[in-house]
Amino acid sequence: MRKLSPTKAISHALNSVWSYRQVAVRIAFAWLPVLLLCGIAEVYLAPPAVAVDEIPSVPPVQIATFLISLVATSSMAVSWQRFILLDELGRGLRLDGSVIRYALYTLLLIAAAVVPTAILLALALLAPSASVLALPAVILIGGIVTRLSVRFPAIALGDRSFTFSDAWKASVGNFWQCLGVFMLSWAITLGGLFVLILISSGLGQLNPMLGDLAITVGVILMQLFYAIFNASVFTSLYGYFVEKREF
């Protein structure tokens, strides 16, 4: 049984992004104006903060921007994965059946991860003693989601026969390795967020509006990078487990 190396998988994904950075920029920046409009809409159309005794709700503008962002990241992922696996270079904003299916299955996987995570966090609040188990359980969910995510490049390729069950079988015996991939991926993301917060805080000391602008634009740029990087990780896993490639 082949054993995945998490560091090699992440290194391979990062190397793909760097080696083909011009293509990555071309794919990602096609969606930049759309995501900028979403960011502006959330800033200027979001309702005022609720009082402490009020039950919070999700504003419609946030639901709309989330769905648009989901389609945008799915479009970037499909374009990137088809470029890496098929050497296909699309043009402009990609919106087709593969993108819609990619977005729908991404939403399904997000729900599958968020629901048990929310239950665990609620139990931790109700019973503080259970909080010791909450964090490890959430991390384990990340490992499960990573194994299931092996399916996404197949969706990008238009392969409807490759299911989540097939993705799970393809990565059998590599749960802890996939968990390692998940942890390394999030470490890179959190590191980027930490740097962004430091920069925006520094600029905010000079000018609050400049700090707000920096955090808004920075988050969007990080979203673009993570969409391509995440797609690269899934492509690396798909290539290793399904196509039996080596890094």
Side-chain angles (χ1 to χ4, degrees), residues 23-45:
V23 178
V25 168
R26 177 179 175 179
I27 291 173
F29 274 46
W31 283 97
L32 181 59
V34 176
L35 294 178
L36 278 174
L37 288 175
C38 287
I40 293 171
E42 286 197 357
V43 171
Y44 290 100
L45 299 180

Side-chain angles (χ1 to χ4, degrees), residues 77-88 94 156-158:
V78 170
S79 295
W80 180 255
Q81 289 169 345
R82 291 185 69 87
F83 167 71
I84 294 296
L85 296 172
L86 299 178
D87 201 27
E88 175 186 292
R94 185 186 188 105
L157 296 175

Side-chain angles (χ1 to χ4, degrees), residues 229-247:
F229 169 64
N230 209 33
S232 291
V233 172
F234 296 160
T235 306
S236 296
L237 296 179
Y238 180 85
Y240 184 83
F241 288 125
V242 180
E243 297 185 343
K244 307 302 180 183
R245 298 186 186 186
E246 297 294 340
F247 297 127

Side-chain angles (χ1 to χ4, degrees), residues 66-245:
F66 167 77
L67 293 176
I68 293 172
S69 298
L70 177 63
V71 171
T73 54
S74 298
S75 175
M76 286 183 271
V78 170
S79 295
W80 180 255
Q81 289 169 345
R82 291 185 69 87
F83 167 71
I84 294 296
L85 296 172
L86 299 178
D87 201 27
E88 175 186 292
L89 186 57
R91 294 182 177 275
L93 304 182
R94 185 186 188 105
L95 282 173
D96 55 21
S98 295
V99 172
I100 300 303
R101 290 183 67 243
Y102 204 104
L104 289 175
Y105 282 111
T106 299
L107 187 61
L108 176 63
L109 206 56
I110 289 173
V114 168
V115 171
T117 299
I119 293 173
L120 287 170
L121 293 177
L123 289 175
L125 291 175
L126 294 174
S129 59
S131 61
V132 178
L133 301 175
L135 182 59
V138 169
I139 294 174
L140 290 176
I141 290 172
I144 294 171
V145 168
T146 301
R147 284 187 63 183
L148 295 175
S149 298
V150 174
R151 181 186 184 186
F152 284 106
I155 297 174
L157 296 175
D159 183 359
R160 297 182 177 230
S161 63
F162 192 82
T163 65
F164 282 127
S165 176
D166 294 322
W168 189 263
K169 292 176 183 176
S171 58
V172 68
N174 283 272
F175 176 80
W176 298 110
Q177 288 80 0
C178 287
L179 179 60
V181 169
F182 170 78
M183 296 294 290
L184 289 172
S185 176
W186 268 104
I188 292 172
T189 303
L190 293 176
L193 282 173
F194 179 72
V195 172
L196 176 60
I197 291 171
L198 286 179
I199 293 174
S200 60
S201 297
L203 292 173
Q205 296 295 322
L206 300 174
N207 187 314
M209 185 176 295
L210 190 61
D212 291 341
L213 179 62
I215 194 72
T216 301
V217 174
V219 167
I220 292 172
L221 292 177
M222 277 202 64
Q223 188 178 2
L224 294 176
F225 165 77
Y226 191 70
I228 298 296
F229 169 64
N230 209 33
S232 291
V233 172
F234 296 160
T235 306
S236 296
L237 296 179
Y238 180 85
Y240 184 83
F241 288 125
V242 180
E243 297 185 343
K244 307 302 180 183
R245 298 186 186 186

